[in-house]
Amino acid sequence: MIKQVVIGIVCGAAVLTAGILIGHFGITKSVSSAPSWVKDVAKDVDESLIEKFMSEVDNIQIQENLRELTKVPHMATTPGDEKTVQLMLKRWQDKETGLDQAWREEYLVYLSFPDPKKPNKVTVVSPTDTVLHTAREKEKSYPPEQDDPDVVQPYAAYSPAGHPKGKLVYANYGKPTDYLKLNETVDLRGTIAITRYGGAGRAAKAINAAPYGVVGVLVYTDPFDINDGLMSDLNETYPHSWYLPPSGVERGSFKTDYGDMLTPYLAAKDDTYRIPVESITGIPPIPIQPIGFEDAYRLICELGGEEAPGLWQGAFNCTYNFGGPGFKNTSVFNNSDVKLDIFNLEEKKNSSNVMGVIRGSVEPDRYVIYGNHRDSWVHGAIDPSSGTSVMLELTRVLGRMVKQGKWRPRRSIIFGSWGAEEFGLIGSAEYTEQYFTKLSERTVAYINVDIAVFANATLRASGMPSLQNVIFKATKQVDTPGLASTSVYENWIKYFSRTSPAHGHIPKMGYLSGAGSDYAAFVHYLGISSMDLAFTYDRNKTNARIYPAYHTAYDTFNYASKYIDPGFVSHQAVGRTAGNILMRLADSLVLPLNCSDYAEILEDYLSTAVKLYQSELQAKKISMEPLKRAVASFRTAATHLDKVIHGSDLANETPLKIRRINDQLMLLDRAFLNPLAFPDKYAFRHVIWASSSAGKPTFPGLADAFDSAESSEQSSAWDKVHYHLSVLSQAIEGAADTLVDVI
Amino acid sequence: MIKQVVIGIVCGAAVLTAGILIGHFGITKSVSSAPSWVKDVAKDVDESLIEKFMSEVDNIQIQENLRELTKVPHMATTPGDEKTVQLMLKRWQDKETGLDQAWREEYLVYLSFPDPKKPNKVTVVSPTDTVLHTAREKEKSYPPEQDDPDVVQPYAAYSPAGHPKGKLVYANYGKPTDYLKLNETVDLRGTIAITRYGGAGRAAKAINAAPYGVVGVLVYTDPFDINDGLMSDLNETYPHSWYLPPSGVERGSFKTDYGDMLTPYLAAKDDTYRIPVESITGIPPIPIQPIGFEDAYRLICELGGEEAPGLWQGAFNCTYNFGGPGFKNTSVFNNSDVKLDIFNLEEKKNSSNVMGVIRGSVEPDRYVIYGNHRDSWVHGAIDPSSGTSVMLELTRVLGRMVKQGKWRPRRSIIFGSWGAEEFGLIGSAEYTEQYFTKLSERTVAYINVDIAVFANATLRASGMPSLQNVIFKATKQVDTPGLASTSVYENWIKYFSRTSPAHGHIPKMGYLSGAGSDYAAFVHYLGISSMDLAFTYDRNKTNARIYPAYHTAYDTFNYASKYIDPGFVSHQAVGRTAGNILMRLADSLVLPLNCSDYAEILEDYLSTAVKLYQSELQAKKISMEPLKRAVASFRTAATHLDKVIHGSDLANETPLKIRRINDQLMLLDRAFLNPLAFPDKYAFRHVIWASSSAGKPTFPGLADAFDSAESSEQSSAWDKVHYHLSVLSQAIEGAADTLVDVI
């Protein structure tokens, strides 16, 4: 009986268990079973995949990318440029390491080149028309790269052709104040001005000169500004060091506004309306030509006239005089003119962007964009190929993870290899004009890595304050090359730091207020949260304005691998950092954008503005209260949104709530756009980050309007200050409105 | 044994069953159980709730709303206006039938009023300064409403004050061509022009006159244009019919641009920058005053000079002459002048919008906005209170459903009771300026019901083509008043119809190209898909330009209930239709916006443009191919998106896919915005629906640019055509880009 009972219990238990199992696994819970996508939509960043990515970013691959990219000069629209197009396409379409899709997009854009048959000339001509001196036409050749027939001779893109001749004067950096000062002593009518790079935009050096009657401008790089004073190529400059040889010449685009100049606000397609060439503004009205300091030395040290002020003196071992105008009586050039023979030609040419895409799995309609330009002036090893070789390594590693099925980002990633950046950010600007709506609606962030490594000392990051947090996070996970136990973050803070009211001692980010690289259209025209990343200098070691081979024929693989980043480990660190950030932006459930960090910077700007302007504005009966209220509203709203983000278990909430928060974060920078805020600045619409001539660490439009009003005698100039204050306050209030409860 | 076996089997079965039940219900399937929100996010329109709503919309409630709203005149910012503010707030904050929230928002706006102490005067003055005739200052009183001391005397808002005097001329509608014609015969310098309403904007009648030296303008409503010729108040006009009595005067805002004129593009808050009053454009440069046709009859029939053309003749039983200038020799007014004494005052006053909200349950960050203005000129029974009384009934029914827990929309609904519309759509414009970013990002659609019932014959609907489908759907579910078995749709198609390539014979929608009501800022400035709904005339029965009491002291409850909509059943039909549409927009899983219907209209516009312009443009070497390609891209993209919508079981897809599609649909109209498209038109940014002087059924900017170029002698005028073609093509391509696969 006991046995029977035991058997009964055992059988019963077995049957019960079977029943439980059938009930649990065998019958679908029709009401409450979860659709397969429920898990997908809650997916967050996978830290192990980020680690995997970082471990696979390889310095030797980057080095070999650079070697291939810099084989030949690849100035925009040349055969060398086309080779890089093909290279990008081949890599991005690779079946094992490529992206989901890659293609090219062409724009017909307005460029400027020297005439290959008639080289530009700069000469010193005696009163009897004897040529006493001719500036070097091509940079001196050290390693053989400079001999490549495709090296473009030094010129100022968009300088008009012409043959001005006149007495030489020295105009320092060619700033408005420089010409004003010079004009007090010298009659500038009919003169040629020699200026040095730095201090003012390239085109500005000629634009500022023309009203004084100057007929032509020379520009050179003073060893003081680029070489820490060194001048000799016997043992000091390249190929003995990273310094610029005496014959080196910085090329460049001499224009004020970015994008294709014939098609403002329109993508430069074949049939697009083009403004008449005569209507172009912001380019040199008189011929201008860059020369090496070897020639500048000859010219400047022979100048007569009064001694120029101390701040105008450069590194030459002579006194920099204003010019009589013209040369000293004692000079062999006495009474001689300087003559420019400029034969530049403008041309409409097809320039290509190469685009690549990794499709997002959960939110394909959200884009993280990563870009760099592809075109260089000559071989462009640092500018831009350091960035391009990093981008190619990044896409190789990510592409392989995608092809192997190990990873697919939550959001879509778009890679842009922009064309014709050197001619004024043209490829990226046209892209944003063509896809304005789509990009405005869907872009989460833009990452720009142009020159990846200016120098190998430390990271430098600029961007919207909302991105600070994700940049910090990534940099804490990357080692500083050569300092194994020091993160990029820890190294960075040694070079650039500040005290944040919220976070204490932290690395100091820069701001993207200007238009120095392809982030410009994303920041200023589209209002997309953007960043620009690079490794840069130890300012204790050099005062060079920029790495000395910049835009010269010496910016080669040899130069980069020998003097900028031997072993390409800084390139690798940039790649790891940028890729880490990219993956976080693409994969995070809640976007890693922090609006409270934005509030901090607005408060900082406000307190500076109050300090600088309030008492004078009060005297003019212009109230700063609306601006104060707006910044306070923004802070309150940011705090509130942070609470919403951190106060709930979002992974278990409806995906529409997360999407709502992400939209608030994604669109935050869009709220600061006002197409009417800067009527005089082409395609500058972001009221917080515009370029500014006032040079004050505060709201740029307010600072500029205030400066103009102060120096103006018209009371209507104060109206413009008041107007801009209203524009600014309304934009910040509008941004705050988007961060509070959605209804 | 059998018994034991049976017991064993029964017990075993019972245990098994218990096990199954425990397994199925007792143990949570941790992996696959669905979160509670899965069902919510897939919720679609509930047809039974729409039926419930429609059945509860009550004509008597509407009638009583109207009675209350029209007790006193409620011109913007007057005590009567404040009473309506309080009424709206009380209703919308009601605990049983109110909304989730309601509040007021104030703007300090620039208005214009007659001086209550110095009434405006229009007189005929003899050469010896004897006053021979004085125009009536107040409209004649029939029922007692017209005696209310708060009835504002007829005036032209924004006419400057002044005392011009001169010989009278007749200038028809005051169009540019009218003055041109008149000037061929009469020297207009120093004259007063009398014009009739219609044919040109109010302000334009004075703006067009001033360049000819005209010093003052009168405007009246000709019985030909408003009364089907009837003139006598003994038995023909109100109170005997809906026709305008001889002393009735249309008031109005005499300005060209919408919104507060002192704060363009900025919300008119207390501290907002205001432009100097002298900088205002688009208002009469010379005094202008409206008068009744009773006085106009006296003046016009006495005019000398040549007989005006046939199309200039109105309904008076005399010949309309140009004026000598001045009166006939045989007239008692011979040699007399007409004198205007205008004492209008401009004032900045606080005007209120009343806002109300029903919070969305699933997508609170998506808004459907429903609005109407609250301010009238006098009692405003039709304009705007017919719309307001419908809105109040709609919010009562919906509010109750919400308060009773029977319904909560998927998306948020915002109700706006706008202030100061009569002064140029000010309340709605300031609202869109203040909340530009938030509204741009989140608004699904705007529904405007201003005058709900112009007349009781048929529905009239205007709006973006994408809304056609949801309007059709709703109108098929509402009965036509008095025609029980005829839907509003079936009745509508009898009055307005067209043949659609896709749908065959369908009702014809109008377009919102102008700025006739508060939809303007939503359409033109924000690019939000919008509609305007009303019941309107049987054009076989009347040629009245508009309902005859428009903007007069006769637009009263008595007038509305007796002559416009006895029983308020047309009001009820409008309420049912608008609410039905509102609920569909707020509740549909996939937004009921149809992009293929948009494509059809773009194709229609294109084919008209090709017919009208292509051959001449070809001769100027301007290609229409980019526009053709853009429209074709749009069609392809629309077809594709339609396929995505209808090709999958969206209710079972991830909510992020539905949201993605909904964003594509919601943002479609935003893609057509370009702030640079119409540099001369304030706050017109939508390239498809702008106002146009060319009067061609095609792209407005193209039509206007083509017209100007044709009449211009400068070849640069053709550049503007080409430019606008590029703007247009890029916008349409940009819109198409947003409809294709998101990456």
Side-chain angles (χ1 to χ4, degrees):
Chain A
M1 187 65 193
I2 287 174
K3 198 183 166 191
Q4 280 177 325
V5 169
V6 170
I7 291 171
I9 289 172
V10 169
C11 286
V15 171
L16 182 68
T17 304
I20 290 173
L21 292 172
I22 292 168
H24 188 60
F25 294 106
I27 304 173
T28 309
K29 285 195 188 181
S30 63
V31 176
S32 61
S33 81
S36 60
W37 49 258
V38 168
K39 222 177 139 190
D40 296 339
V41 298
K43 240 183 16 192
D44 209 334
V45 163
D46 182 338
E47 293 289 342
S48 69
L49 285 172
I50 292 186
E51 271 168 43
K52 181 178 158 61
F53 160 80
M54 291 200 298
S55 71
E56 289 182 12
V57 170
D58 184 42
N59 55 324
I60 302 306
Q61 292 278 355
I62 296 174
Q63 171 187 296
E64 294 313 306
N65 288 342
L66 189 69
R67 200 190 300 277
E68 185 156 0
L69 283 163
T70 57
K71 268 185 191 153
V72 292
H74 49 286
M75 183 167 62
T77 74
T78 63
D81 185 28
E82 179 60 25
K83 273 189 192 151
T84 61
V85 169
Q86 295 306 331
L87 173 64
M88 301 304 296
L89 285 173
K90 192 179 136 218
R91 295 288 187 91
W92 287 356
Q93 290 170 345
D94 188 277
K95 283 192 181 147
E96 265 141 47
T97 59
L99 309 175
D100 289 337
Q101 237 185 310
W103 66 97
R104 71 193 294 163
E105 301 203 21
E106 288 197 331
Y107 299 96
L108 183 63
V109 302
Y110 185 71
L111 304 181
S112 160
F113 300 102
D115 185 336
K117 285 175 214 137
K118 288 183 264 170
N120 292 344
K121 264 197 166 52
V122 176
T123 48
V124 180
V125 186
S126 80
T128 57
D129 254 359
T130 313
V131 173
L132 301 179
H133 176 80
T134 302
R136 184 189 279 274
E137 274 168 29
K138 286 195 70 166
E139 288 146 306
K140 193 168 159 191
S141 162
Y142 303 101
E145 280 111 326
Q146 285 84 38
D147 283 334
D148 192 311
D150 285 340
V151 172
V152 71
Q153 62 159 309
Y155 77 112
Y158 303 109
S159 162
H163 306 275
K165 195 170 91 163
K167 298 280 176 282
L168 191 68
V169 293
Y170 171 60
N172 195 25
Y173 292 118
K175 292 174 295 187
T177 51
D178 293 335
Y179 287 109
L180 191 70
K181 173 88 190 160
L182 183 61
N183 193 53
E184 286 168 11
T185 319
V186 187
D187 181 355
L188 292 176
R189 286 173 297 177
T191 61
I192 303 285
I194 184 164
T195 60
R196 48 179 175 154
Y197 273 121
R202 295 191 192 99
K205 293 170 198 294
I207 293 169
N208 298 337
Y212 293 97
V214 175
V215 294
V217 178
L218 294 174
V219 55
Y220 77 103
T221 307
D222 198 284
F224 175 85
D225 298 310
I226 203 98
N227 272 3
D228 296 314
L230 302 181
M231 287 184 59
S232 164
D233 70 344
L234 292 178
N235 50 13
E236 292 175 339
T237 68
Y238 184 75
H240 309 289
S241 74
W242 81 327
Y243 288 119
L244 182 66
S247 70
V249 184
E250 177 181 325
R251 294 151 186 80
S253 158
F254 285 62
K255 61 189 275 221
T256 309
D257 300 333
Y258 66 88
D260 177 54
M261 290 189 289
L262 293 183
T263 58
Y265 300 109
L266 293 169
K269 295 289 173 184
D270 288 2
D271 287 321
T272 302
Y273 170 70
R274 286 173 165 76
I275 64 169
V277 168
E278 313 82 70
S279 304
I280 291 175
T281 55
I283 55 171
I286 51 177
I288 179 166
Q289 172 71 15
I291 57 174
F293 66 74
E294 167 184 70
D295 287 305
Y297 177 66
R298 278 299 314 269
L299 299 176
I300 287 176
C301 289
E302 302 288 333
L303 276 177
E306 286 182 25
E307 182 175 338
L311 285 172
W312 292 37
Q313 303 297 319
F316 297 151
N317 57 356
C318 67
T319 302
Y320 291 54
N321 296 327
F322 285 141
F327 300 102
K328 299 176 196 167
N329 294 337
T330 54
S331 165
V332 288
F333 297 158
N334 178 28
N335 257 327
S336 297
D337 285 331
V338 168
K339 182 159 189 255
L340 276 62
D341 289 292
I342 308 300
F343 299 97
N344 294 348
L345 301 166
E346 290 79 39
E347 270 183 276
K348 277 183 287 183
K349 297 198 79 176
N350 277 308
S351 169
S352 293
N353 293 336
V354 180
M355 306 303 304
V357 151
I358 301 176
R359 189 183 162 86
S361 54
V362 178
E363 296 182 87
D365 62 335
R366 288 296 175 262
Y367 310 152
V368 183
I369 308 183
Y370 181 111
N372 178 31
H373 67 102
R374 202 184 51 254
D375 67 305
S376 58
W377 280 113
V378 189
H379 295 84
I382 297 302
D383 183 7
S385 307
S386 61
T388 313
S389 49
V390 166
M391 176 156 72
L392 280 175
E393 175 58 1
L394 210 142
T395 54
R396 180 189 71 84
V397 177
L398 295 178
R400 195 164 62 177
M401 283 162 69
V402 168
K403 298 285 183 191
Q404 291 179 342
K406 292 190 177 146
W407 175 70
R408 179 163 290 284
R410 180 183 180 88
R411 304 181 180 88
S412 295
I413 300 178
I414 300 177
F415 292 95
S417 170
W418 316 119
E421 189 263 8
E422 294 296 1
F423 290 84
L425 323 180
I426 294 179
S428 57
E430 298 311 301
Y431 174 73
T432 58
E433 285 168 351
Q434 179 168 3
Y435 298 106
F436 180 83
T437 307
K438 200 163 96 164
L439 296 175
S440 301
E441 289 170 8
R442 300 176 186 165
T443 310
V444 160
Y446 175 68
I447 302 173
N448 196 65
V449 181
D450 179 345
I451 296 174
V453 182
F454 288 86
N456 58 6
T458 174
L459 182 77
R460 185 215 66 197
S462 307
M464 270 69 155
S466 43
L467 288 161
Q468 175 182 281
N469 197 46
V470 67
I471 295 174
F472 284 1
K473 185 138 195 177
T475 51
K476 285 175 182 168
Q477 296 184 329
V478 181
D479 284 343
T480 297
L483 299 167
S485 59
T486 308
S487 70
V488 164
Y489 179 91
E490 289 162 324
N491 185 57
W492 180 16
I493 205 172
K494 289 186 212 154
Y495 289 88
F496 304 98
S497 70
R498 70 176 178 103
T499 302
S500 148
H503 309 294
H505 186 62
I506 54 170
K508 185 179 166 71
M509 299 236 305
Y511 301 143
L512 298 177
S513 50
S517 184
D518 291 301
Y519 55 76
F522 292 92
V523 172
H524 303 301
Y525 188 52
L526 284 173
I528 285 169
S529 306
S530 301
M531 70 181 82
D532 186 66
L533 302 172
F535 257 56
T536 192
Y537 320 100
D538 179 349
R539 280 297 174 202
N540 291 316
K541 294 195 180 148
T542 181
N543 284 315
R545 194 170 57 80
I546 192 164
Y547 71 98
Y550 174 70
H551 286 197
T552 73
Y554 306 111
D555 188 351
T556 59
F557 181 80
N558 177 287
Y559 182 88
S561 56
K562 235 164 137 178
Y563 296 115
I564 301 292
D565 188 21
F568 290 87
V569 286
S570 292
H571 283 74
Q572 186 182 34
V574 170
R576 285 174 172 161
T577 306
N580 187 315
I581 295 168
L582 176 65
M583 288 179 81
R584 289 181 189 284
L585 286 164
D587 282 345
S588 295
L589 183 64
V590 178
L591 283 175
L593 297 169
N594 187 304
C595 48
S596 290
D597 288 338
Y598 222 123
E600 183 171 301
I601 302 303
L602 295 181
E603 285 163 349
D604 182 49
Y605 267 24
L606 175 65
S607 83
T608 303
V610 168
K611 234 174 285 162
L612 292 173
Y613 309 132
Q614 183 167 260
S615 64
E616 200 158 339
L617 289 178
Q618 269 169 346
K620 305 282 175 195
K621 302 227 161 85
I622 300 170
S623 169
M624 291 188 80
E625 295 308 313
L627 182 60
K628 291 182 198 171
R629 279 199 302 271
V631 172
S633 298
F634 189 95
R635 166 61 80 181
T636 308
T639 305
H640 172 83
L641 183 58
D642 272 353
K643 216 178 273 172
V644 171
I645 293 171
H646 298 114
S648 43
D649 177 17
L650 290 176
N652 290 315
E653 289 252 20
T654 143
L656 291 177
K657 180 167 180 187
I658 299 162
R659 172 80 161 204
R660 189 178 94 207
I661 292 167
N662 283 341
D663 280 358
Q664 291 179 291
L665 294 169
M666 173 180 79
L667 296 171
L668 173 55
D669 267 299
R670 241 72 97 232
F672 292 113
L673 293 182
N674 183 334
L676 305 169
F678 305 106
D680 302 327
K681 290 183 205 206
Y682 176 76
F684 275 82
R685 298 178 164 192
H686 196 303
V687 300
I688 311 295
W689 308 117
S691 67
S692 160
S693 51
K696 297 290 192 316
T698 186
F699 306 106
L702 177 60
D704 283 1
F706 189 92
D707 263 24
S708 309
E710 264 204 322
S711 61
S712 166
E713 271 144 42
Q714 293 186 306
S715 71
S716 65
W718 290 101
D719 283 357
K720 288 196 179 170
V721 180
H722 191 176
Y723 170 71
H724 194 85
L725 258 175
S726 293
V727 165
L728 186 61
S729 309
Q730 180 163 303
I732 298 173
E733 287 282 8
D737 282 335
T738 67
L739 298 182
V740 291
D741 280 336
V742 291
I743 189 91
Chain B
M1 189 63 191
I2 288 172
K3 197 182 165 192
Q4 280 176 326
V5 170
V6 169
I7 290 171
I9 288 171
V10 169
C11 285
V15 171
L16 183 70
T17 304
I20 291 172
L21 291 172
I22 291 169
H24 188 62
F25 293 107
I27 304 174
T28 309
K29 283 195 190 182
S30 63
V31 177
S32 61
S33 81
S36 60
W37 48 258
V38 167
K39 220 176 141 191
D40 296 339
V41 297
K43 240 180 22 186
D44 208 335
V45 164
D46 181 338
E47 292 289 344
S48 70
L49 285 172
I50 293 185
E51 271 168 44
K52 180 178 161 59
F53 161 79
M54 292 199 299
S55 72
E56 290 182 12
V57 170
D58 183 44
N59 55 324
I60 301 307
Q61 292 278 355
I62 296 173
Q63 173 188 296
E64 294 313 306
N65 289 341
L66 189 69
R67 198 190 301 274
E68 186 156 1
L69 283 163
T70 57
K71 268 185 190 153
V72 292
H74 47 287
M75 183 167 62
T77 74
T78 62
D81 184 27
E82 180 59 25
K83 274 190 190 150
T84 61
V85 168
Q86 296 305 331
L87 173 63
M88 301 304 296
L89 284 173
K90 192 180 137 217
R91 295 288 187 90
W92 286 356
Q93 291 170 344
D94 188 276
K95 284 194 180 141
E96 264 141 48
T97 58
L99 309 175
D100 288 337
Q101 238 185 310
W103 66 96
R104 71 194 292 163
E105 302 201 20
E106 288 197 331
Y107 299 97
L108 183 64
V109 302
Y110 186 71
L111 304 181
S112 160
F113 301 100
D115 185 336
K117 285 173 216 141
K118 289 183 265 173
N120 291 344
K121 264 198 164 53
V122 175
T123 48
V124 179
V125 186
S126 79
T128 57
D129 255 359
T130 312
V131 173
L132 302 180
H133 178 80
T134 303
R136 183 191 282 272
E137 276 166 29
K138 285 195 69 166
E139 289 146 305
K140 193 168 158 188
S141 163
Y142 303 101
E145 280 110 328
Q146 287 83 37
D147 282 333
D148 192 312
D150 287 338
V151 171
V152 71
Q153 63 160 305
Y155 76 113
Y158 303 109
S159 162
H163 306 275
K165 195 171 94 166
K167 297 279 177 284
L168 191 68
V169 293
Y170 172 61
N172 195 25
Y173 292 117
K175 294 175 294 189
T177 50
D178 291 336
Y179 288 109
L180 190 72
K181 174 86 189 161
L182 182 61
N183 192 53
E184 286 168 10
T185 319
V186 187
D187 181 354
L188 292 175
R189 287 172 298 174
T191 60
I192 303 283
I194 184 165
T195 59
R196 48 179 174 155
Y197 273 120
R202 294 191 193 98
K205 293 171 197 291
I207 292 169
N208 299 337
Y212 293 98
V214 174
V215 294
V217 178
L218 295 174
V219 56
Y220 78 102
T221 307
D222 198 285
F224 175 84
D225 299 307
I226 203 98
N227 272 3
D228 296 315
L230 302 182
M231 287 183 60
S232 163
D233 70 345
L234 293 179
N235 50 15
E236 291 173 340
T237 67
Y238 185 75
H240 310 289
S241 74
W242 80 328
Y243 289 118
L244 182 66
S247 70
V249 184
E250 177 182 326
R251 295 152 187 79
S253 159
F254 284 63
K255 61 189 273 219
T256 309
D257 300 332
Y258 66 88
D260 176 53
M261 290 189 288
L262 293 183
T263 58
Y265 300 110
L266 293 168
K269 295 290 174 181
D270 288 2
D271 287 321
T272 302
Y273 171 69
R274 286 173 165 77
I275 64 169
V277 167
E278 313 83 69
S279 304
I280 291 175
T281 56
I283 56 171
I286 51 177
I288 178 166
Q289 172 71 15
I291 57 175
F293 67 75
E294 165 185 72
D295 287 303
Y297 177 66
R298 278 300 313 267
L299 298 175
I300 287 176
C301 289
E302 301 289 332
L303 276 177
E306 285 182 25
E307 182 174 340
L311 285 172
W312 292 37
Q313 302 298 319
F316 297 151
N317 58 357
C318 67
T319 301
Y320 291 55
N321 297 327
F322 286 140
F327 301 102
K328 298 176 197 169
N329 294 337
T330 55
S331 165
V332 286
F333 297 158
N334 179 28
N335 256 327
S336 297
D337 286 328
V338 168
K339 183 159 187 255
L340 276 60
D341 290 291
I342 308 301
F343 299 97
N344 295 348
L345 301 166
E346 289 81 39
E347 269 183 278
K348 277 182 288 185
K349 297 199 81 178
N350 277 309
S351 169
S352 294
N353 292 337
V354 180
M355 306 303 303
V357 151
I358 302 176
R359 188 182 163 86
S361 55
V362 178
E363 297 182 86
D365 62 336
R366 288 297 175 261
Y367 309 152
V368 184
I369 308 181
Y370 181 110
N372 178 30
H373 66 103
R374 201 185 53 254
D375 67 305
S376 58
W377 280 113
V378 189
H379 294 86
I382 297 302
D383 182 7
S385 307
S386 61
T388 313
S389 50
V390 165
M391 177 156 72
L392 280 174
E393 174 58 0
L394 210 140
T395 54
R396 181 189 70 86
V397 176
L398 295 178
R400 195 166 61 177
M401 283 162 70
V402 168
K403 298 283 184 193
Q404 292 180 342
K406 292 191 176 142
W407 175 70
R408 179 164 291 284
R410 179 183 180 87
R411 304 181 180 87
S412 296
I413 301 177
I414 300 176
F415 293 94
S417 170
W418 315 120
E421 189 262 7
E422 294 296 1
F423 290 84
L425 322 181
I426 294 180
S428 56
E430 298 310 302
Y431 173 73
T432 58
E433 286 168 350
Q434 178 168 3
Y435 298 106
F436 181 82
T437 307
K438 200 163 97 165
L439 297 175
S440 301
E441 289 170 8
R442 301 176 186 164
T443 310
V444 160
Y446 175 68
I447 302 172
N448 196 64
V449 181
D450 178 346
I451 296 173
V453 182
F454 288 86
N456 59 5
T458 173
L459 183 76
R460 186 215 65 197
S462 308
M464 272 68 156
S466 43
L467 288 162
Q468 175 181 281
N469 197 45
V470 67
I471 295 173
F472 283 3
K473 185 138 194 177
T475 52
K476 285 175 183 169
Q477 295 184 328
V478 180
D479 283 344
T480 298
L483 298 168
S485 59
T486 308
S487 69
V488 165
Y489 179 93
E490 289 163 325
N491 184 57
W492 180 16
I493 204 170
K494 290 186 209 153
Y495 290 87
F496 305 97
S497 70
R498 69 177 178 103
T499 301
S500 148
H503 309 294
H505 186 62
I506 54 170
K508 183 178 166 72
M509 298 237 305
Y511 302 142
L512 297 177
S513 50
S517 184
D518 291 302
Y519 55 77
F522 292 92
V523 172
H524 303 302
Y525 188 52
L526 284 173
I528 286 169
S529 307
S530 301
M531 70 181 83
D532 186 67
L533 302 172
F535 256 56
T536 191
Y537 319 99
D538 179 349
R539 281 296 174 201
N540 291 317
K541 296 195 179 148
T542 180
N543 284 316
R545 194 170 57 80
I546 192 164
Y547 71 97
Y550 173 70
H551 287 196
T552 73
Y554 307 111
D555 187 352
T556 58
F557 181 80
N558 177 287
Y559 182 87
S561 56
K562 235 165 137 176
Y563 297 115
I564 300 292
D565 187 22
F568 290 87
V569 286
S570 292
H571 284 73
Q572 184 181 37
V574 170
R576 285 173 172 162
T577 305
N580 187 316
I581 295 168
L582 176 65
M583 289 179 80
R584 289 181 188 284
L585 286 164
D587 283 345
S588 295
L589 183 64
V590 177
L591 284 175
L593 296 169
N594 186 304
C595 49
S596 290
D597 288 337
Y598 222 122
E600 182 171 303
I601 301 305
L602 295 181
E603 284 163 351
D604 182 49
Y605 267 25
L606 175 66
S607 84
T608 303
V610 168
K611 233 174 284 161
L612 292 173
Y613 310 132
Q614 183 167 260
S615 63
E616 201 157 340
L617 288 179
Q618 270 169 347
K620 306 281 176 195
K621 301 223 161 86
I622 300 170
S623 169
M624 291 188 80
E625 294 309 312
L627 182 61
K628 292 183 196 169
R629 280 199 302 271
V631 172
S633 298
F634 189 96
R635 167 60 80 181
T636 307
T639 305
H640 172 83
L641 183 58
D642 272 353
K643 216 178 272 171
V644 171
I645 293 171
H646 299 115
S648 42
D649 177 15
L650 289 177
N652 290 315
E653 289 251 22
T654 143
L656 292 177
K657 179 165 181 189
I658 299 160
R659 173 79 161 205
R660 190 177 93 208
I661 292 167
N662 283 342
D663 279 359
Q664 291 178 290
L665 294 168
M666 172 179 80
L667 295 171
L668 173 56
D669 267 299
R670 242 73 97 231
F672 292 113
L673 293 183
N674 183 335
L676 306 169
F678 304 106
D680 301 328
K681 289 184 203 204
Y682 176 76
F684 276 81
R685 298 178 165 191
H686 195 304
V687 300
I688 311 296
W689 307 118
S691 67
S692 160
S693 51
K696 298 290 193 314
T698 186
F699 306 106
L702 177 61
D704 283 0
F706 188 92
D707 263 24
S708 309
E710 263 203 321
S711 63
S712 166
E713 271 144 43
Q714 293 184 306
S715 70
S716 65
W718 290 102
D719 283 357
K720 289 196 179 171
V721 180
H722 190 177
Y723 169 72
H724 195 86
L725 258 176
S726 292
V727 165
L728 187 60
S729 308
Q730 180 164 302
I732 298 173
E733 287 281 8
D737 282 334
T738 68
L739 298 181
V740 290
D741 280 337
V742 291
I743 192 92

